[in-house]
Amino acid sequence: MAGESKRMPDKKGRFGPYGGRYVPETVIYALDELERCYRQFKKDRRFRSELKGLLADFVGRPTPLYYAERLTAFLKGPEIYFKREDLNHTGAHKINNTVGQILLAQRMGKKRIIAETGAGQHGLATATVCARFGMSCIVYMGTEDMKRQKPNVEKMRLLGAKVVPVTSGSATLKDATSEALRDWVTNVRSTFYVLGSVVGPHPYPMIVRDFQTIIGRETRRQSLRLFKTPPDAIIACVGGGSNALGIFADFLKDDQVKLIGVEAAGYGLTSGQHAAPLAKGKPGVLHGAFSYLIYDDDGQVILPHSISAGLDYPGVGPEHSLLKDSGRVTYGTVTDAEALRAFEQVSRLEGIIPALETSHALAWLMKHKRKFKKNEKIVVCLSGRGDKDMPIVASAGMLDE
Ligand SMILES: *Cc1c(COP(=O)(O)O)cnc(C)c1O
């Protein structure tokens, strides 16, 4: 697919020192099979045209690049544009990747689909494509997240998926991912694991990135039409990092385009309760890959915290670890409270309710608007819509009279 990073990862699935495959032998076989099929089908004309058709008519692409006029006026700084991934079917960027992976599963003859989910957005996007292709779908989800994201659990069940509650550990995304990997080890021949972000063992970080690069390729085309140049800066939130890499990948070679990834600082970076491995972590191994990670002196993964379930993960994709070390992408952080404020302000200024994840990117921009000149064009990746977050903001007291 055009727009993918040509060099990365290397043959061993490494982004510099990061990435790789830290998994049992049975899974190595499945990862090799997946990589072989992916490399074959990404060049296949029929595969590409089927994917293109689904992205257009099922997902609703291309998504608009929208001028946020009142937010721009309010900030009295640079010109702000939203790349509207919130308008995708199922309400976030996740579906770009799941339609791609379900086509791969179909080509590989696998009928049993498993997935992990945190916010429920990836589970929902997977359940959606499984319904569309008549495949059986099992979604692992922490019981803590099932409580926080009840509407998504109900939607997945309506679509025919089996949602399996995970009670181990913190009963959130990390634990659901471990459980999905365990299932895959046991059922590797019949099962396709649809992974939701640019994390996990090679080739997943590459495959998920490639399926998400449609965001950046459209952004380039739309920017050239609107501004006659690429944007001056692009800002995206980083959980595992798939919406960020999706919009960044096509611009990595354009050194003049500033790229900013925003992690969740939760209750604050010094509180110990955050989800900011790039800011506060060290490299280590989680879920089959070597990457920045938050863990304590005994090597135990620290329980992350973010008000946004989609960012509440102790690790980050290996390519982001390399991009941090190389300095090509700048990474910042935003607290729960700052994200909530941006959530409300953008809802009222633009008539667009952003996801709490996305609100981190918006809050970073609002906090750092002075870094930009008046006529600069800034694109924020509006990764998803905030409908799913209404119970959370209500319980945070935002909607009280
Ligand atoms: C899942 C999710 C994220 C975080 O995942 P990435 O892989 O970092 O993109 C961000 N925004 C929304 C709306 C999500 O659903």
Side-chain angles (χ1 to χ4, degrees):
M1 255 152 265
E4 75 189 78
S5 158
K6 288 285 180 291
R7 296 162 299 127
M8 291 288 169
D10 66 16
K11 284 208 171 57
K12 291 191 165 133
R14 296 265 177 186
F15 301 87
Y18 303 110
R21 288 175 172 175
Y22 297 81
V23 291
E25 203 55 41
T26 46
V27 172
I28 297 277
Y29 164 82
L31 292 168
D32 279 339
E33 181 192 24
L34 174 62
E35 183 174 1
R36 207 167 44 243
C37 291
Y38 173 67
R39 290 194 189 281
Q40 176 191 336
F41 284 115
K42 77 172 187 175
K43 287 183 289 196
D44 181 82
R45 287 232 337 255
R46 282 188 48 203
F47 182 90
R48 292 168 57 125
S49 94
E50 197 177 345
L51 178 60
K52 198 171 162 201
L54 282 166
L55 288 173
D57 301 331
F58 189 63
V59 175
R61 305 204 71 92
T63 60
L65 184 64
Y66 167 80
Y67 178 43
E69 192 176 339
R70 292 191 69 225
L71 179 62
T72 298
F74 174 77
L75 291 180
K76 301 187 180 72
E79 279 175 33
I80 298 159
Y81 294 80
F82 293 163
K83 179 59 176 161
R84 298 289 307 275
E85 294 302 297
D86 60 314
L87 293 178
N88 287 330
H89 182 39
T90 70
H93 65 290
K94 298 270 179 10
I95 191 113
N96 301 327
N97 169 49
T98 59
V99 292
Q101 288 197 42
I102 206 76
L103 285 183
L104 273 180
Q106 191 199 40
R107 296 296 199 277
M108 291 168 74
K110 312 249 178 184
K111 299 241 156 52
R112 181 177 179 269
I113 304 296
I114 60 169
E116 82 297 334
T117 199
Q121 289 300 109
H122 173 60
L124 177 60
T126 305
T128 299
V129 296
C130 285
R132 168 67 181 74
F133 283 85
M135 304 234 201
S136 91
C137 181
I138 297 159
V139 178
Y140 290 95
M141 188 170 191
T143 47
E144 207 43 51
D145 288 334
M146 287 178 73
K147 263 188 277 172
R148 291 197 284 191
Q149 306 286 339
K150 194 146 168 257
N152 274 343
V153 175
E154 291 164 349
K155 285 184 206 164
M156 285 186 268
R157 288 185 171 146
L158 174 68
L159 289 159
K162 186 171 165 218
V163 182
V164 180
V166 176
T167 53
S168 55
S170 53
T172 59
L173 179 57
K174 166 178 75 69
D175 315 290
T177 307
S178 304
E179 211 52 52
L181 277 168
R182 208 163 297 146
D183 178 317
W184 204 35
V185 172
T186 322
N187 303 296
V188 82
R189 282 187 184 276
S190 64
T191 301
F192 190 103
Y193 179 14
V194 176
L195 215 150
S197 190
V198 286
V199 299
H202 176 67
Y204 280 107
M206 169 180 80
I207 292 179
V208 178
R209 175 200 64 197
D210 290 355
F211 284 138
Q212 292 292 0
T213 54
I214 184 81
I215 308 174
R217 279 182 279 134
E218 285 179 9
T219 301
R220 173 181 294 279
R221 186 157 27 88
Q222 292 164 325
S223 300
L224 293 179
R225 196 184 314 134
L226 273 169
F227 323 138
K228 311 277 183 271
T229 61
D232 296 290
I234 303 174
I235 306 171
C237 65
V238 176
S242 70
N243 86 92
L245 273 182
I247 198 166
F248 292 167
D250 207 46
F251 295 95
L252 287 171
K253 58 184 182 297
D254 301 285
D255 287 334
Q256 78 282 11
V257 181
K258 288 171 240 158
L259 303 174
I260 297 128
V262 184
E263 295 187 296
Y267 293 124
L269 284 184
T270 53
S271 70
Q273 290 188 282
H274 57 74
L278 292 170
K280 284 298 217 180
K282 292 166 289 190
V285 172
L286 178 70
H287 297 143
F290 183 65
S291 195
Y292 277 87
L293 179 64
I294 48 174
Y295 56 91
D296 63 21
D297 293 340
D298 299 326
Q300 290 294 323
V301 173
I302 295 170
L303 188 68
H305 165 77
S306 170
I307 191 164
S308 114
L311 303 185
D312 203 354
Y313 184 67
V316 66
E319 192 165 3
H320 283 290
S321 292
L322 181 64
L323 290 167
K324 172 197 153 77
D325 287 1
S326 74
R328 175 61 189 98
V329 177
T330 305
Y331 293 90
T333 64
V334 154
T335 64
D336 288 355
E338 290 165 335
L340 275 170
R341 207 174 314 127
F343 176 92
E344 185 177 58
Q345 281 175 314
V346 170
S347 296
R348 292 187 178 182
L349 284 165
E350 292 295 339
I352 294 169
I353 302 175
L356 278 174
E357 292 82 2
T358 315
S359 300
H360 286 70
L362 293 162
W364 189 91
L365 171 61
M366 293 167 94
K367 216 163 80 170
H368 296 282
K369 62 175 183 182
R370 283 189 192 81
K371 289 193 196 301
F372 302 102
K373 292 198 253 340
K374 189 122 185 145
N375 291 320
E376 284 191 302
K377 318 278 194 267
I378 314 294
V379 173
V380 179
C381 187
L382 218 85
S383 57
R385 61 179 92 123
D387 307 38
K388 68 182 176 62
D389 297 313
M390 292 314 292
I392 298 163
V393 300
S395 64
M398 184 184 288
L399 308 175
D400 301 345
E401 274 302 320

